[in-house]
Amino acid sequence: MARMRVAVLISGRGSNMAALVRAAQAPDYPAEIVLVLSDKPDAAGLAFASDAGIEALPIDRKGFAGKADFEAAITAALTARQIELVCLAGFMRLLSADFVERWRDRLINIHPSLLPSFRGLDTHERALAAGVRIHGCTVHFVRAATDDGPIIIQAAVPVLDGDTAETLQHRVLAAEHDIYPRALALVAGGHARVEGERVVLPDMAMSEGRPLISPAA
Ligand code: GRF
């Protein structure tokens, strides 16, 4: 089966993009990372991508008068490379409803919380302030509203006594690197379908799983 042609949009470090690139190096992975695009020309992730032999393309938001022109340049870059699916991975620009609609069900994002809790920024600080014992991360199809859309996969992460936003972020980021490649494989492999704004996985074997209890003792 032909591998799905994927672009990853980043703004900075790009550790989730790197996790996707590494996963896609497996010969049986259903997606190929064809392009890494950044709105910030100095994003560290661009160097990682070109070192991995992937086209790394900066499209500087500052070079455009408005959002529509900027997004048109992104769309042109994606269509020129016959991209079929777009992964947002720490891409810090809000995309317009037009762009999101154009890529409906072909645009996914990773967010560092168990959605629909803690949409937006500073999720780890807010999880600590709320006193939740379980936090986590989510990969979802993108809709026009921020951090909204059908959920593909989530990982739950315990909040430990003494956690700071930094230690919690570190634990959640490790889970992000685990679930984003799984989510992309589900979508690119044709296993995850959107039905009525929920994701169904009709041909996936579901384990019963165990509850994550936090604190465990
Ligand atoms: C991640 O925590 C991701 O969930 C959020 O932004 C961060 C990006 O980190 N959207 P990286 O650039 O992938 O290292």
Side-chain angles (χ1 to χ4, degrees):
M1 202 175 102
R3 307 213 289 161
M4 193 175 267
R5 294 175 65 78
V6 171
V8 186
L9 270 53
I10 64 168
S11 295
R13 176 178 58 184
S15 69
N16 278 288
M17 174 274 296
L20 295 175
V21 166
R22 289 194 186 101
Q25 282 163 351
D28 59 346
Y29 196 78
E32 178 189 1
I33 312 299
V34 175
L35 175 69
V36 172
L37 189 157
S38 173
D39 64 310
K40 297 255 171 61
D42 58 353
L46 286 173
F48 174 91
S50 45
D51 287 351
I54 295 166
E55 185 185 2
L57 180 66
I59 296 191
D60 190 350
R61 171 66 181 85
K62 291 197 200 104
F64 298 88
K67 187 179 201 147
D69 294 345
F70 169 63
E71 290 185 351
I74 294 178
T75 296
L78 298 175
T79 50
R81 290 158 185 82
Q82 291 151 320
I83 298 299
E84 299 166 280
L85 184 79
V86 178
C87 295
L88 305 179
F91 185 70
M92 297 306 286
R93 300 267 167 200
L94 293 177
L95 293 163
S96 70
D98 277 355
F99 184 94
V100 169
E101 219 29 62
R102 188 175 206 290
W103 291 92
R104 190 180 181 87
D105 298 344
R106 298 183 301 145
L107 177 62
I108 66 179
N109 178 49
I110 187 152
H111 181 74
S113 78
L114 286 173
L115 291 174
S117 292
F118 307 120
R119 293 183 164 117
L121 298 174
D122 303 325
T123 56
H124 310 303
E125 286 83 349
R126 287 155 57 214
L128 288 175
V132 296
R133 290 292 185 181
I134 294 177
H135 184 42
C137 48
T138 303
V139 182
H140 62 99
F141 286 101
V142 175
R143 295 293 183 256
T146 306
D147 301 323
D148 185 34
I151 291 170
I152 301 162
I153 191 168
Q154 295 185 301
V157 171
V159 179
L160 305 182
D161 266 352
D163 260 341
T164 61
E166 204 177 26
T167 59
L168 185 54
Q169 186 259 346
H170 198 255
R171 197 174 309 118
V172 171
L173 191 63
E176 294 181 40
H177 298 163
D178 189 334
I179 66 168
Y180 211 172
R182 292 174 192 250
L184 176 56
L186 287 172
V187 175
H191 302 294
R193 263 202 338 260
V194 181
E195 273 183 18
E197 290 305 85
R198 292 179 60 204
V199 171
V200 291
L201 303 162
D203 52 354
M204 295 303 290
M206 294 282 168
S207 68
E208 277 181 30
R210 290 192 192 168
L212 170 64
I213 298 174
S214 172

